[in-house]
Amino acid sequence: MITTVRRRLALAASVAGAMIVALDGTVLSVAQPSLQHDLGVGVTQVQWTSTAYLLAVAAFLVIAGRLGDRYGHPRMLCIGVLGFGAASAGIALAPGAGWVIGLRAVQGVFGALLQPATLALLRLAYPADRLGRPVALRTSAIGVAAAAGPVLGGVLVGQFGWRAVFVINVPVALAIAGLTLAVRTPAPARTVSQRLDAVGAALLATVLAALVHTLAGVPAQGWTGRPTLLGFAVVAAVAAALVVHERRAEHPIVPPVVARSLPVTASMALLLCTSGGMFGALFVGTFLLQDVIGLDPFTTGLWVLPLTALMVLGAPVAAAALRRFGPRPTALVGTGLMVAGIAGLSRLGPGSTPTATGVAFAVLGAGFAAVMVTATGTVVGEAPAGYAGVIGGIKQTAMNVGPTLGIAVAAGLLLLAPDGPAPASATGATPATTLLVLAGLAALGLLPASLLPRRPAAPAGGVRPEVASGQPAPGGGVQPGGLPRAAGDGGRA
């Protein structure tokens, strides 16, 4: 009975924490025009209200996961959500755009603290073979939040102004903090390698922030623009320095036991490719619906609704498939559905009907739900004791970089002009061609999907086939979940 209550509290805290972040992003997109008019600022400053948050989140997710592994995930979730709420209150009172941008960066840091903790709580509360349902519920909740965000934002902005979308975060954050304090999860195993390496953390934060900033600038600069090339050069140089440092560090940011896990790395690559294809397709698809077919924003939202509906409804179906057939078949089918859905969107044109468009979006949503549930369940389930936070942080990083990559690919192919995408030009690709390229990006996910475990997770107390085989691992054994046990005090990469 106590275990059941503990699991339900952990699930509620995980879902609520994920939803407040998902709501914040979609609600802000509706509030930005009002913010621009009220503060009297340009488009660039308005864009930075999103970019500052995105950079901070991307830079600190893995570091936040390591902090959670060391100091406790309920504590990190509580600190993260309270800081998120406090930053929201500050933004609501901000006198100018500079304050909004700065506080959005602060909000991003606290958002990074809470996101890995929401996944790690599930790993601490549920055995690997029972993670499918809670992960599916979390995925469905994120879909509901993303769909409800524009509606809620429209109501709040229309009735109370743009500051209301930040005020609403405050009571919600307090409620989540109270819920988190009630969670009692078993303490993870302590490892010496949980110590945070400051130099490695700084290098990782720099490389991730530089990567996201460079990709976000592609729509304006193009892939061959000087700022883009310089940005990628900085990313490559800092990444090389990070690799060298990690190999020599006594306590690397990404522990060897995590870096050597094939299921974890395959899941990350799968999420990177499929989320890139998904959000790049949404970027192009929205343009097609409004500028080619001629729909207004509200009608566009209705035509895209099947995507959200199938994400919500498909998540529990994906969880059942994951339990019955295992990660590899479920991920392969989900990725295939995504490729088919994006390819279907490439056939959109002036004569497209809501039915044909809705089917393409529905297939895309169902596929993405299957991929999300499978990859998330595999990542969280494969997390060895003491490393759930860092794995959750890596997963969330992939989900931040992937969409940025997809939009950069789409915008770079369309060659964005100052007034928007050019549907066809002597040098730019057509939207149909761009969508086929994005389908190819999603199709790259078939390779990592084929590397996921073939069978479902072993029942609680059971043993995986690869563990039962007695295959040796560096440092003297195999941990539950098939991950190699690190040698000595965590070992070196």
Side-chain angles (χ1 to χ4, degrees):
M1 181 65 179
I2 295 176
T3 300
T4 300
V5 172
R6 183 178 68 230
R7 288 176 179 172
R8 288 177 178 175
L9 287 173
L11 177 58
S14 175
V15 168
M19 287 186 72
I20 192 174
V21 174
L23 272 171
D24 180 79
T26 54
V27 166
L28 179 63
S29 64
V30 177
Q32 283 177 327
S34 176
L35 181 153
Q36 180 182 6
H37 177 75
D38 183 48
L39 298 181
V41 296
V43 174
T44 300
Q45 288 175 292
V46 172
Q47 289 175 339
W48 267 100
T49 62
S50 294
T51 303
Y53 177 87
L54 181 62
L55 292 177
V57 168
F60 290 102
L61 277 169
V62 178
I63 298 169
R66 289 300 305 270
L67 291 173
D69 288 334
R70 178 161 186 165
Y71 297 108
H73 298 294
R75 180 182 299 176
M76 286 299 107
L77 178 54
C78 194
I79 293 173
V81 77
L82 287 175
F84 192 91
S88 297
I91 295 170
L93 300 172
W99 280 95
V100 174
I101 294 170
L103 286 169
R104 279 287 286 169
V106 173
Q107 191 182 41
V109 173
F110 285 108
L113 284 179
L114 73 90
Q115 288 185 60
T118 64
L119 281 174
L121 278 182
L122 297 182
R123 178 65 181 89
L124 295 176
Y126 291 86
D129 64 305
R130 297 183 183 178
L131 277 169
R133 182 173 176 271
V135 166
L137 287 173
R138 185 178 183 274
T139 301
S140 296
I142 292 173
V144 170
V151 178
L152 176 62
V155 172
L156 291 174
V157 174
Q159 295 295 320
F160 307 106
W162 67 269
R163 297 177 189 272
V165 304
F166 294 101
V167 172
I168 196 67
N169 284 339
V170 178
V172 176
L174 291 173
I176 295 174
L179 182 63
T180 304
L181 290 174
V183 175
R184 294 290 183 269
T185 57
R190 299 283 297 177
T191 62
V192 177
S193 63
Q194 285 175 341
R195 184 183 304 171
L196 184 65
D197 175 37
V199 175
L203 289 172
L204 179 64
T206 301
V207 73
L208 289 173
L211 176 61
V212 171
H213 183 268
T214 302
L215 290 174
V218 169
Q221 306 295 337
W223 286 100
T224 58
R226 182 176 298 178
T228 302
L229 296 178
L230 179 60
F232 283 129
V234 171
V235 170
V238 180
L242 175 63
V243 171
V244 172
H245 176 80
E246 287 284 278
R247 288 184 176 276
R248 298 175 177 175
E250 183 179 1
H251 307 291
I253 289 295
V254 180
V257 69
V258 174
R260 289 196 296 259
S261 171
L262 181 59
V264 170
T265 54
S267 296
M268 296 304 100
L270 174 62
L271 287 173
L272 187 70
C273 294
T274 53
S275 63
M278 164 88 162
F279 284 90
L282 283 176
F283 176 85
V284 180
T286 302
F287 156 70
L288 278 172
L289 292 177
Q290 295 189 22
D291 289 10
V292 176
I293 299 178
L295 304 181
D296 59 73
F298 178 76
T299 307
T300 297
L302 293 179
W303 282 38
V304 178
L305 194 59
L307 182 144
T308 303
L310 264 293
M311 277 188 62
V312 174
L313 299 175
V317 176
L322 181 61
R323 287 194 302 271
R324 180 169 182 178
F325 302 110
R328 186 184 301 175
T330 307
L332 287 171
V333 171
T335 305
L337 287 174
M338 290 191 64
V339 173
I342 297 173
L345 291 177
S346 71
R347 302 176 64 86
L348 291 180
S352 297
T353 64
T355 301
T357 306
V359 168
F361 276 119
V363 171
L364 177 58
F368 192 62
V371 169
M372 277 285 291
V373 170
T374 303
T376 304
T378 301
V379 165
V380 178
E382 292 287 341
Y387 295 107
V390 69
I391 288 181
I394 296 172
K395 182 264 178 184
Q396 294 298 124
T397 300
M399 287 302 300
N400 276 270
V401 175
T404 308
L405 171 64
I407 293 173
V409 169
L413 288 172
L414 290 172
L415 292 182
L416 281 179
D419 56 348
S425 68
T427 56
T430 63
T433 301
T434 302
L435 283 164
L436 290 176
V437 172
L438 291 166
L441 175 60
L444 292 176
L446 291 170
L447 176 59
S450 68
L451 300 177
L452 292 177
R454 187 190 304 271
R455 296 181 178 85
V463 181
R464 282 181 175 273
E466 60 267 35
V467 179
S469 67
Q471 294 177 344
V478 178
Q479 295 192 138
L483 285 160
R485 179 176 288 117
D489 293 337
R492 296 173 183 261

